Amino acid sequence: MDTVTRPRILVVGAGFAGVECVRRLERKLAPDEADVTLVTPVSYQLYLPLLPQVASGVLTPQSIALSLRRSRRYRTRILPGGAIGVDLKAKVCVVRTITDKIVNEPYDYIVLAPGSVTRTFDIPGLTEHAFGMKTLAEAAYIRDHVISQLDLADASDDPAERAARLQFVVVGGGYAGTETAACLQRLTHAAVRRYPRLDPGLIRWHLIDIAPKLMPELGEKLGRSAQEILRRRGIDVSLGVSLDKAGAEEVTFTDGRVVPTRTLIWTAGVVASPLIATLGAETVRGRLLVDPELTVPGQDGVFALGDSAAVPDLAKGQEGAICPPTAQHASRQGKRAAENVIATLRGEPLHPYVHKDLGLVVDLGGKDAVSKPLGVELRGVPAQAVARGYHWSALRTGVAKARVMTNWLLNAAAGDDFVRTGFQARKPARLKDFEFTDSYLTPEQVRARAEGRAIGSQ
């Protein structure tokens, strides 16, 4: 008897783009219309904008890790691993599972939403000594590390060591870096009251960025307001300055300053996932070139979106405009990609992605925030209400909403206990240890895997 196989749809990545795509496919496709597989090393969607609040202890890690298995319509097969190569001709995705087994996953349609990784530069000591702020594990580890610096400084009788452990450096004046510095400064400011042997004046936070302005997307006035808030709290903001080299016990800035510190947090932007380089397809500044319909030109059944795709921003009406790598664009692109995959399956016309930016929100902790919803500039409590209201409403599940709201209320009423969990204690946990950017294959290795040939050490 002839066996009729259903079309195989493979979605790579469980970020905002990938998860919204899968959810829309589950809602719109009949159960016997196609098989859907999601490639992701973790079975949750991370609500990345709230990561600094996890690092500072305002939110628990579980509250922003939204389970992929709570959907009532759940029928997607989850392949636990990371895509390390795609052969577009053979229609095969090479996946390294969480047990380090390499498998070939064939597909008929593929949706590429692998997201981004931390952008690094050839700075001596950077990947060996800096922390990142891109994953849930990194945020949890940084919280433990910052509290441990207070503990070790309090126990030390060496003034130089004590001063070094109480200096913290954040590189990157974008949203992630600014919120990270702001939230963690509040953590140390509140915690030092529990350490009577420590002089609060020794705690110094440094935020540096090579750009001339802090968060330039906010505009001149709001960016300046955010900078004034940080400086009022005692954070040393240095613009036009970057990192020259990093060591285990000190860092050197490009202006010649040497800061003794045990804490360097690197948040200087992101780049497209290294998976994109395995495709051999055209890119725009490292992001995969796609049409307005989110399809890859010249490739049958290949869709791409999110941080790794150069999606034309039709709403701006400017030639060459590309959508910024933000959550609001990624989630809406996910829905459009799902609808266009379904349209392709059914032989219907595809529709372009169009979305007008809703604005930006920056939560600096406590009553401090700056927001620009729909172009309206807000500061202070109104901006904080908009920022938290936006994030709360954007959480995908009712359980996540309840957890986040409970955490916010409990933290406001009772504060923090400043407890270290011992996460990965005594193990390396710097930039090079979390994002596994050296795990990807070359295009030649991908082709060899697809053809079943040996590929050396792989």
Side-chain angles (χ1 to χ4, degrees):
M1 294 179 61
D2 293 333
T3 302
V4 178
T5 59
R6 291 188 290 268
R8 298 163 297 186
I9 302 173
L10 184 65
V11 180
V12 176
F16 289 97
V19 169
E20 288 298 335
C21 179
V22 167
R23 290 293 174 251
R24 183 59 61 98
L25 289 172
E26 288 180 335
R27 286 194 293 270
K28 297 291 186 178
L29 284 173
D32 60 350
E33 199 170 357
D35 292 326
V36 181
T37 298
L38 176 64
V39 178
T40 173
V42 294
S43 59
Y44 61 80
Q45 175 197 354
L46 177 64
Y47 191 81
L48 200 62
L50 291 177
L51 209 54
Q53 295 191 34
V54 171
S56 64
V58 174
L59 298 176
T60 60
Q62 189 180 9
S63 64
I64 66 168
L66 285 66
S67 172
L68 300 179
R69 301 185 185 276
R70 276 193 172 270
S71 170
R72 294 180 181 179
R73 299 175 184 269
Y74 172 75
R75 64 172 186 271
T76 298
R77 168 181 168 246
I78 294 179
L79 182 54
I84 57 175
V86 178
D87 189 324
L88 298 178
K89 292 182 179 179
K91 292 198 170 186
V92 169
C93 179
V94 183
V95 178
R96 188 189 298 274
T97 70
I98 57 175
T99 58
D100 275 339
K101 181 181 179 182
I102 297 180
V103 299
N104 289 355
E105 185 66 23
Y107 63 84
D108 297 300
Y109 302 91
I110 188 169
V111 180
L112 296 167
S116 55
V117 296
T118 300
R119 178 180 61 181
T120 58
F121 300 98
D122 190 19
I123 297 174
L126 174 62
T127 59
E128 292 81 13
H129 301 294
F131 300 101
M133 182 60 81
K134 196 76 171 63
T135 68
L136 197 59
E138 285 175 311
Y141 189 93
I142 285 175
R143 172 176 165 79
D144 269 16
H145 172 81
V146 168
I147 295 175
S148 73
Q149 298 313 298
L150 297 176
D151 289 342
L152 291 167
D154 183 64
S156 177
D157 293 322
D158 182 351
E161 179 189 359
R162 179 177 293 185
R165 292 193 181 279
L166 296 179
Q167 293 214 67
F168 307 89
V169 177
V170 179
V171 182
Y175 305 112
T178 302
E179 290 188 335
T180 296
C183 290
L184 286 174
Q185 186 274 337
R186 280 181 57 84
L187 167 69
T188 55
H189 180 73
V192 75
R193 301 171 188 169
R194 313 285 180 89
Y195 296 84
R197 296 181 69 246
L198 292 182
D199 177 6
L202 290 177
I203 297 180
R204 295 284 304 278
W205 279 89
H206 304 265
L207 175 63
I208 69 172
D209 194 276
I210 195 63
K213 298 179 182 178
L214 200 67
M215 297 180 291
E217 297 88 347
L218 281 174
E220 182 75 30
K221 292 182 180 179
L222 282 185
R224 189 165 57 247
S225 294
Q227 193 168 329
E228 289 171 357
I229 290 171
L230 298 181
R231 284 180 169 158
R232 187 173 67 242
R233 289 192 192 171
I235 298 176
D236 179 16
V237 180
S238 299
L239 301 175
V241 177
S242 188
L243 191 68
D244 184 55
K245 61 181 178 179
E249 298 184 358
E250 67 178 26
V251 298
T252 303
F253 297 162
T254 53
D255 62 2
R257 282 182 292 164
V258 178
V259 177
T261 181
R262 304 295 201 278
T263 308
L264 171 62
I265 302 174
W266 179 267
T267 63
V270 296
V271 294
S273 166
L275 179 68
I276 300 304
T278 73
L279 304 177
E282 187 177 352
T283 60
V284 178
R285 295 191 294 275
R287 299 168 73 181
L288 189 61
L289 177 69
V290 297
D291 295 325
E293 293 77 18
L294 307 178
T295 57
V296 177
Q299 300 294 338
D300 178 41
V302 181
F303 299 79
L305 57 157
D307 291 6
S308 284
V311 179
D313 193 348
L314 301 183
K316 283 189 176 179
Q318 301 173 0
E319 185 176 354
I322 300 297
C323 293
T326 60
Q328 62 175 290
H329 278 291
S331 60
R332 288 166 176 82
Q333 288 167 13
K335 295 175 182 177
R336 175 58 67 201
E339 290 165 357
N340 283 345
V341 170
I342 295 170
T344 303
L345 272 170
R346 297 172 180 173
E348 299 171 352
L350 278 59
H351 297 283
Y353 170 75
V354 183
H355 169 66
K356 187 175 182 180
D357 204 299
L358 298 178
L360 303 163
V361 295
V362 182
D363 187 338
L364 300 175
K367 298 178 181 179
D368 294 326
V370 289
S371 300
K372 196 175 182 180
L374 301 175
V376 179
E377 296 187 351
L378 299 174
R379 299 167 182 79
V381 174
Q384 182 66 282
V386 169
R388 295 206 170 182
Y390 173 80
H391 289 314
W392 187 82
S393 63
L395 292 167
R396 188 170 45 79
T397 68
V399 171
K401 286 184 166 103
R403 283 182 177 140
V404 166
M405 183 59 72
T406 301
N407 284 176
W408 279 339
L409 293 174
L410 187 60
N411 184 267
D416 197 333
D417 287 328
F418 313 109
V419 173
R420 284 186 288 119
T421 63
F423 182 81
Q424 285 198 350
R426 300 179 182 272
K427 294 182 181 179
R430 299 304 193 268
L431 270 171
K432 64 184 179 67
D433 302 305
F434 278 106
E435 296 193 40
F436 308 105
T437 53
D438 57 350
S439 297
Y440 294 85
L441 304 181
T442 64
E444 293 74 19
Q445 290 173 326
V446 174
R447 168 63 56 161
R449 284 290 315 180
E451 294 176 353
R453 294 185 281 112
I455 52 174
S457 62
Q458 296 294 334

